[in-house]
Amino acid sequence: MKKKTIVIVDDHLLFAQSLESLISKLEEYEVLAILKNGKELTQYYKHKRKVPDLILLDVKMPVMDGVQTMQWLKEHRSEQKVLALTMEDDEDTIIKMIRAGAKGYLLKDIHPENFEFAMKMVIEQGFYYSGKIENALRHFEEGGGSVEFHERLTDKERGFLKLACSELTYKDIAGEMGLSPKTIENYRETVFRKLEVKTRVGLVIYCMKNKLFKV
């Protein structure tokens, strides 16, 4: 049986080695390398080493962090499948990683069985998201989030939606649109309701699914 290959990119050596040990116990997988940051990953590719089926990528790392690494991969290795494995669960970080092309986003305290399932899903199906992201995705997989929903938005609401899919904070969006933070809050609640999503992550996924504009 041909094993699926993994590269771990994480500056916490103890965690990375523990992860390698866990993966080595799974018959279907093998770890090709453990790298400390995104810079080492770029060097890995430049030396024309074996391209892995999956990269397990930390987000907070020195030299070249997860977001910077994803941006590099998006430009140079867009076909590479990446599963973010991190302690960072804030919306802004999740959105940055998704927009940069991460196919999955997991917290490091995930149960080993769920972790194995997540690797399998990313390699075979193309994506896997847990927690708040998975809930947002489930809405679309069950038939929600059709193109008809965003047709209900006003021009101002569409403008807000586009900015909400950027890296701007809600305060920045208010300044960009020349509106008060309270008005932006009202737009947010209205757009959430009309698109039937519950988080900003859900908005980003909605726009990606329906290809409303580049995110």
Side-chain angles (χ1 to χ4, degrees):
M1 178 182 65
K2 184 180 178 181
K3 293 190 175 185
K4 302 297 184 182
T5 53
I6 309 292
V7 166
I8 299 170
V9 185
D10 196 307
D11 64 310
H12 293 97
L13 185 58
L14 183 61
F15 175 81
Q17 289 177 338
S18 297
L19 191 57
E20 180 184 28
S21 178
L22 172 63
I23 294 172
S24 69
K25 295 176 183 178
L26 304 174
E27 292 184 1
E28 295 182 39
Y29 303 93
E30 68 173 320
V31 175
L32 298 177
I34 295 177
L35 309 173
K36 294 194 295 291
N37 53 60
K39 186 66 175 178
E40 289 194 1
L41 180 63
T42 65
Q43 293 301 313
Y44 178 94
Y45 283 113
K46 288 176 181 178
H47 285 93
K48 297 183 179 179
R49 298 178 65 184
K50 184 175 181 180
V51 176
D53 293 302
L54 180 67
I55 291 175
L56 299 176
L57 180 66
D58 192 12
V59 174
K60 278 200 170 181
M61 298 178 292
V63 184
M64 189 171 176
D65 65 20
V67 174
Q68 293 169 325
T69 302
M70 283 305 311
Q71 291 168 344
W72 185 90
L73 287 169
K74 189 174 185 179
E75 181 177 352
H76 299 280
R77 296 276 178 168
S78 59
E79 74 286 352
Q80 178 65 69
K81 294 177 179 177
V82 178
L83 178 57
L85 190 59
T86 178
M87 295 302 295
E88 307 300 315
D89 65 347
D90 62 284
E91 269 195 351
D92 289 343
T93 301
I94 295 171
I95 289 172
K96 287 178 181 178
M97 293 296 286
I98 293 175
R99 290 177 70 241
K103 302 302 182 184
Y105 198 102
L106 300 176
L107 296 182
K108 287 182 175 179
D109 61 357
I110 189 172
H111 190 281
E113 289 184 2
N114 293 337
F115 170 64
E116 181 182 0
F117 178 72
M119 289 198 299
K120 180 180 178 66
M121 288 296 293
V122 172
I123 292 173
E124 296 182 1
Q125 303 296 326
F127 70 87
Y128 176 86
Y129 296 104
S130 64
K132 66 180 74 175
I133 309 178
E134 185 179 4
N135 290 336
L137 278 170
R138 187 180 298 117
H139 170 69
F140 297 102
E141 297 304 318
E142 292 175 351
S146 68
V147 177
E148 295 176 355
F149 281 137
H150 66 260
E151 292 176 350
R152 304 174 190 171
L153 300 181
T154 66
D155 288 343
K156 283 286 189 179
E157 289 165 354
R158 286 172 182 268
F160 165 80
L161 178 60
K162 184 173 184 177
L163 292 173
C165 290
S166 72
E167 296 179 9
L168 297 176
T169 65
Y170 285 125
K171 183 178 180 180
D172 292 335
I173 292 173
E176 186 76 17
M177 296 185 71
L179 300 170
S180 70
K182 180 63 177 177
T183 300
I184 292 300
E185 183 178 333
N186 291 337
Y187 276 137
R188 181 188 65 194
E189 295 304 318
T190 300
V191 171
F192 278 13
R193 186 182 71 253
K194 286 185 176 181
L195 301 187
E196 297 186 1
V197 300
K198 296 181 179 179
T199 67
R200 190 172 179 181
V201 173
L203 288 182
V204 174
I205 293 173
Y206 180 94
C207 291
M208 291 175 67
K209 286 279 187 177
N210 290 293
K211 299 178 181 179
L212 298 190
F213 33 74
K214 188 175 181 179
V215 297

